[in-house]
Amino acid sequence: MQIGIIGLGTMGASLASNAARHGAHVSVYNRTTGKTDEFIAAHGTEGNFTACKTLSELAASLPAPRSIVVMVNAGDPVDAVINELIPFLYAGDCIIDAGNSHFKDSDRRADELAGRGFHFVGLGVSGGEEGALYGPSMMAGGSREGFDRVAPLLLKMAASDGGKGKCLAYFGAGGAGHFVKMVHNGIEYADMQLIAEIYHLMKKLLNLSNAEIAEVFEKWNGKRELKSYLLEITAKIFRKKDSLAGSGELIDFILDKAGQKGTGGWTLEAAQKLKIPVPAINAAVFSRLVSSAKELRNRGSQFYGDIEVRLPRTNLNSIKDAMLLAKISAYGEGFRMLAEASEKYGWPIDLSEVSRIWRGGCIIRANLLKSFEKTFKSENKPEHLMLDPEIGSIFKKKHLRWRKVVTNAALAGIPVPVLSASLTAFDSLRTSWLPQNLTQAQRDFFGAHTFERIDRPGIFHEKWSD
């Protein structure tokens, strides 16, 4: 098969090499010609490449109907590349956006390109540089015909799902694929923040060294229920020596400011529009924003100094169980979003299929996804992941440890936003009565927003003041 790739940054170059290694003839183009030359010099012997200096040259190098991957920064750059490319294409050609685009942009591009006779595929790609090179997880949406045309190559390029399949699936028209990828990234935010909170507890409450923390994470990663890519790399991070300072571990020399590219915020925005609560993901985004306010935090630390706190006894088993329950809760938020979006936008998103293709290649790959796949495949699949009987039994058995960890963190003055937010979400889910009857009464009092009653149908308004 022949395919074009526009954009030879880290991910684009890795995908190009991956495609060529699996037998594709790959035409490559980068806006900066020097980048193309560098790529060919480094990877030209790895497969069959054609280096192109212009978009017209790239289009001419491919037989019709063409499949061309765009791998540039999300937003305006994608539109700019598509607009520059269109004059050199013919009806039936397919443009594949494999970047981190917003799903609404993919909806728009699919409609606009279909109106001009072209196919558009929005392809969410997860796995970072290594995944793109050796096997990512890929979440597709857009034109089914365009996807089917390139699917044989993508299947070769994708990661194994741990069974007989590959981590590639089609989820529906328009921006469905990029929506699934966005939710993946939201869960990724929560999972990463959760691990950071566990590190904070081990460092401040248990006074563990970096070597001891690495050993704990490595041990937990050997457990069936917690085994995951993020725990695997976390153990390695704590063992990495610093080469610049000459001694100590690198982790201690990294400034505590976490960046973000916006997909976590997109997840929150989409969840709000779907009216789906995602407290763990929200807390993770909040935590990155707080971390960025380093100077303000420094002033706050100086202002308050050493306030009185307690350092209660906390054991590793309790921390491990709290981590497991909060992790499941974060996945539950993401799957609930996907289910609601599938219904609202008319996408055939199969949650068992999402679980399957997240088992390999992607950043949030974890053993838990095997059980989630089974849950969503069952005839009596639950409305919410947290309502699955097997998962429910885990929460009933371990929730007290979770509560003690969050309580002890609060007493010690250690912020654990994801651990605490997900615990609150769990308690809210299992509570049939919440005090929002008062909230609605207040709304009706000052704004005549009306209310419903528990004893009779209808919409009511009360004159609250005499």
Side-chain angles (χ1 to χ4, degrees):
M1 178 175 182
Q2 291 186 248
I3 194 168
I5 294 186
I6 299 171
L8 295 175
T10 300
M11 292 292 286
S14 295
L15 285 177
S17 293
N18 188 339
R21 194 172 60 253
H22 286 96
H25 182 165
V26 185
S27 295
V28 295
Y29 165 82
N30 196 82
R31 181 175 56 85
T32 305
T33 304
K35 194 88 170 179
T36 306
D37 295 337
E38 290 174 11
F39 174 82
I40 294 298
H43 305 284
T45 60
E46 298 174 7
N48 194 351
F49 296 102
T50 297
C52 304
K53 295 183 179 180
T54 65
L55 289 177
S56 62
E57 186 180 343
L58 178 129
S61 71
L62 299 168
R66 302 169 181 85
S67 294
I68 299 175
V69 176
V70 176
M71 203 62 177
V72 299
N73 291 335
D76 292 341
V78 177
D79 289 322
V81 168
I82 290 174
N83 289 333
E84 290 178 35
L85 181 62
I86 281 177
F88 311 113
L89 300 183
Y90 295 100
D93 288 349
C94 181
I95 295 174
I96 303 163
D97 176 12
N100 261 339
S101 288
H102 194 285
F103 76 98
K104 286 293 185 182
D105 284 340
S106 294
D107 279 339
R108 171 178 56 80
R109 289 168 186 145
D111 288 342
E112 289 175 353
L113 289 170
R116 302 179 70 167
F118 304 116
H119 297 288
F120 174 84
V121 172
L123 186 68
V125 178
S126 178
E129 179 181 5
E130 184 174 331
L133 183 60
Y134 297 111
S137 175
M138 293 185 275
M139 297 143 261
S143 164
R144 183 73 206 215
E145 182 179 339
F147 169 74
D148 287 342
R149 185 188 304 163
V150 77
L153 173 61
L154 296 181
L155 279 169
K156 294 177 182 178
M157 296 169 60
S160 168
D161 65 4
K164 296 181 180 180
K166 288 297 198 78
C167 295
L168 170 71
Y170 174 84
F171 292 111
H178 277 136
F179 188 93
V180 175
K181 175 60 164 55
M182 178 193 70
V183 173
H184 164 284
N185 284 18
I187 296 171
E188 178 185 308
Y189 270 60
D191 204 357
M192 291 174 69
Q193 173 61 26
L194 175 60
I195 295 171
E197 292 172 19
I198 299 302
Y199 154 51
H200 200 168
L201 292 172
M202 289 195 284
K203 183 180 178 71
K204 297 296 185 180
L205 276 186
L206 304 182
N207 200 31
L208 298 186
S209 67
N210 289 333
E212 290 170 326
I213 293 171
E215 186 176 343
V216 171
F217 280 129
E218 187 173 66
K219 181 180 178 181
W220 288 356
N221 193 51
K223 303 290 185 180
R224 181 180 61 84
E225 70 273 18
L226 280 177
K227 186 174 180 60
S228 68
Y229 170 72
L230 283 172
L231 275 193
E232 176 188 332
I233 67 170
T234 300
K236 294 177 180 178
I237 286 170
F238 280 97
R239 289 198 172 100
K240 183 68 175 178
K241 298 296 181 182
D242 183 68
S243 59
L244 295 180
S247 63
E249 287 80 33
L250 177 58
I251 186 68
D252 291 331
F253 293 93
I254 297 176
L255 186 66
D256 57 328
K257 290 174 63 175
Q260 54 183 318
K261 291 187 175 180
T263 51
W266 291 352
T267 309
L268 299 184
E269 180 184 290
Q272 185 178 30
K273 290 183 178 179
L274 291 168
K275 299 181 180 179
I276 297 296
V278 288
I281 297 172
N282 183 67
V285 175
F286 157 84
S287 297
R288 293 201 190 186
L289 293 173
V290 169
S291 78
S292 296
K294 178 66 174 176
E295 292 182 2
L296 179 61
R297 289 189 290 116
N298 285 341
R299 289 194 293 273
S301 176
Q302 294 168 2
F303 179 83
Y304 283 100
D306 293 327
I307 65 174
E308 182 180 352
V309 295
R310 289 179 54 190
L311 296 177
R313 294 181 61 185
T314 303
N315 63 67
L316 279 172
N317 283 333
S318 293
I319 293 176
K320 176 174 69 69
D321 287 343
M323 180 181 181
L324 173 64
L325 299 187
K327 186 182 181 78
I328 294 172
S329 183
Y331 274 101
E333 292 177 14
F335 283 119
R336 179 84 191 284
M337 271 193 74
L338 291 174
E340 187 67 22
S342 182
E343 182 174 341
K344 179 173 181 177
Y345 300 125
W347 294 330
I349 298 177
D350 183 336
L351 299 186
S352 67
E353 187 71 349
V354 173
S355 303
R356 183 188 68 79
I357 71 163
W358 283 354
R359 283 171 50 187
C362 71
I363 303 301
I364 63 171
R365 59 185 185 265
N367 257 21
L368 279 171
L369 287 157
K370 294 180 181 178
S371 62
F372 299 163
E373 181 185 0
K374 178 182 175 183
T375 295
F376 292 123
K377 265 187 177 177
S378 66
E379 291 184 5
N380 298 317
K381 56 187 175 184
E383 179 183 356
H384 193 295
L385 182 64
M386 304 282 283
L387 298 180
D388 174 67
E390 290 187 19
I391 289 174
S393 66
I394 296 173
F395 276 75
K396 290 176 183 177
K397 180 180 179 181
K398 299 178 182 290
H399 75 97
L400 282 177
R401 288 184 171 183
W402 190 7
R403 298 181 190 281
K404 289 177 181 177
V405 169
V406 172
T407 300
N408 289 347
L411 290 171
I414 296 174
V416 286
V418 169
L419 278 170
S420 56
S422 52
L423 176 57
T424 298
F426 166 63
D427 282 335
S428 297
L429 178 67
R430 63 169 196 83
T431 302
S432 63
W433 178 87
L434 291 171
Q436 271 60 54
N437 55 334
L438 174 58
T439 304
Q440 195 61 22
Q442 291 169 331
R443 295 182 74 242
D444 189 55
F445 191 113
F446 64 70
H449 292 294
T450 72
F451 56 88
E452 296 176 78
R453 297 179 59 96
I454 62 174
D455 59 346
R456 65 197 68 194
I459 302 298
F460 298 85
H461 168 60
E462 182 68 28
K463 292 183 178 180
W464 295 92
S465 297
D466 293 333

